Amino acid sequence: MANIDMHTHSTASDGVNSPAQNVRLAAEKGLGGLAVTDHDTVSGVSEALSEAASHSNFLCIPGIEISTLDNGQDIHVLGYFIDHENAEFLSKLEELRIVRNKRNEKIVNNLQELGISITMEEVTAKRKSSSGNIGRPHIAEVLMEKGIISSLREAFDKYLGKGKLAYAITERISPADGVNIILDAGGVPVLAHPGLYDQDELIPQLKEHGLAGLEVYHSDHSAEQEVHYRNLAERYQLIPTGGSDYHGIRNGKVFHGDLGNRYSDLITVEKLKSLSKKYR
């Protein structure tokens, strides 16, 4: 049965590879498909769909990963089988992009106050696409180039992760709002990597708002966490999904996980698709 990586990033946000490159790499690895889930943007979806059409029996799922905030904690909501050309949806994403940029500026300012020489211009230059969203991995790249840290993981552990030296938050939409935005775009909302939040109480709350799935299998989940979230998915009648959270290779290292190291099977994907207003 075909394995489908349900969580991948491209140059449309903070990934290293173009959407087409990710599709080609997935096909080379023998995967049956992937979902394009860039942060707060769908600008890479059309390119990925076009490339996928040239590979036989390869499924490309139009998706997104929406950034939200709950009690000072970043919460990400994945959306699958969305209408990526919906005008109202695209307008809402532009609002999220503005908030994301404000957060990036705050982080850079915090780094400057720590005595680190860094500018937004340097960070922006790290984008692989002129239309791509900027994220913390771009900031980490600049820090690595300057020799301040030696790896992406160190950048997050010391400066960019929650509660670390340069961490910053801005007012963002709630997880429930993220779920609703995905539903309004005809998509299927799934809570991303719940093991990174330590806020399991969110799961039944979001279920009431229309959450359809839970990302049980993720590169940063331990085996124990995967068992735990599989049980919670069963308890709350949510579809368990899996994805690598692939961002590509920076400085010789893969951030989160390699493409295809976590995945969903075709039966799971068909369950998700059946809930989409556009693709069912």
Side-chain angles (χ1 to χ4, degrees):
M1 186 171 292
N3 296 331
I4 300 165
D5 191 331
M6 299 295 286
H7 195 160
T8 71
H9 295 276
S10 74
T11 50
S13 60
D14 55 354
V16 172
N17 302 333
S18 71
Q21 287 174 321
N22 274 351
V23 170
R24 288 194 291 271
L25 180 59
E28 290 170 4
K29 284 176 169 283
L31 294 176
L34 58 73
V36 183
T37 54
D38 281 302
H39 296 287
D40 302 323
T41 182
V42 290
S43 64
V45 169
S46 293
E47 179 184 325
L49 289 172
S50 178
E51 176 64 30
S54 66
H55 299 270
S56 60
N57 299 316
F58 189 93
L59 176 63
C60 182
I61 301 167
I64 194 165
E65 185 172 16
I66 290 183
S67 306
T68 75
L69 191 69
D70 183 77
N71 293 323
Q73 170 69 58
D74 285 312
I75 306 291
H76 292 176
V77 185
L78 293 158
Y80 297 119
F81 294 106
I82 54 176
D83 181 357
H84 67 284
E85 297 177 331
N86 180 288
E88 184 176 352
F89 178 57
L90 294 175
S91 177
K92 289 178 180 177
L93 294 186
E94 181 56 31
E95 294 175 12
L96 297 182
R97 183 185 180 112
I98 292 170
V99 173
R100 170 177 284 273
N101 289 340
K102 288 180 179 178
R103 183 195 189 187
N104 292 331
E105 291 170 1
K106 280 190 173 185
I107 292 174
V108 169
N109 288 337
N110 289 345
L111 288 167
Q112 291 171 346
E113 290 178 2
L114 290 169
I116 296 171
S117 176
I118 184 172
T119 66
M120 273 306 302
E121 288 74 20
E122 290 175 311
V123 173
T124 301
K126 291 301 172 187
R127 289 190 303 182
K128 311 302 180 185
S129 167
S130 60
S131 61
N133 281 351
I134 298 171
R136 286 178 290 176
H138 296 114
I139 299 173
E141 277 194 68
V142 177
L143 295 177
M144 281 189 283
E145 277 194 1
K146 292 176 178 289
I148 307 237
I149 44 89
S150 59
S151 68
L152 208 61
R153 177 55 60 194
E154 184 184 353
F156 277 77
D157 288 345
K158 187 172 183 179
Y159 293 106
L160 307 179
K162 182 184 178 184
K164 304 306 179 182
L165 293 173
Y167 183 73
I169 57 174
T170 51
E171 288 299 321
R172 281 181 163 168
I173 61 173
S174 70
D177 288 337
V179 167
N180 290 332
I181 287 173
I182 291 166
L183 290 171
D184 289 344
V188 185
V190 171
L191 183 63
H193 40 62
L196 303 187
Y197 310 137
D198 193 28
Q199 291 187 206
D200 287 356
E201 67 276 7
L202 267 178
I203 297 170
Q205 294 171 12
L206 294 180
K207 166 75 174 180
E208 293 182 4
H209 287 273
L211 186 73
L214 193 63
E215 190 176 44
V216 170
Y217 307 104
H218 182 271
S219 299
D220 293 334
H221 281 180
S222 66
E224 292 77 14
Q225 285 178 314
E226 290 184 345
V227 170
H228 173 68
Y229 288 109
R230 175 76 196 207
N231 289 337
L232 287 186
E234 291 179 0
R235 180 188 306 175
Y236 297 114
Q237 296 183 306
L238 295 167
I239 299 170
T241 69
S244 64
D245 207 348
Y246 180 68
H247 282 69
I249 299 173
R250 281 182 167 92
N251 291 68
K253 295 183 179 180
V254 176
F255 187 51
H256 289 305
D258 198 9
L259 188 66
N261 78 336
R262 296 291 189 280
Y263 53 82
S264 293
D265 60 27
L266 194 56
I267 292 175
T268 298
V269 173
E270 289 297 332
K271 287 179 182 178
L272 294 168
K273 186 177 182 180
S274 71
L275 299 177
S276 169
K277 294 178 184 177
K278 181 176 174 63
Y279 288 91
R280 64 186 175 191

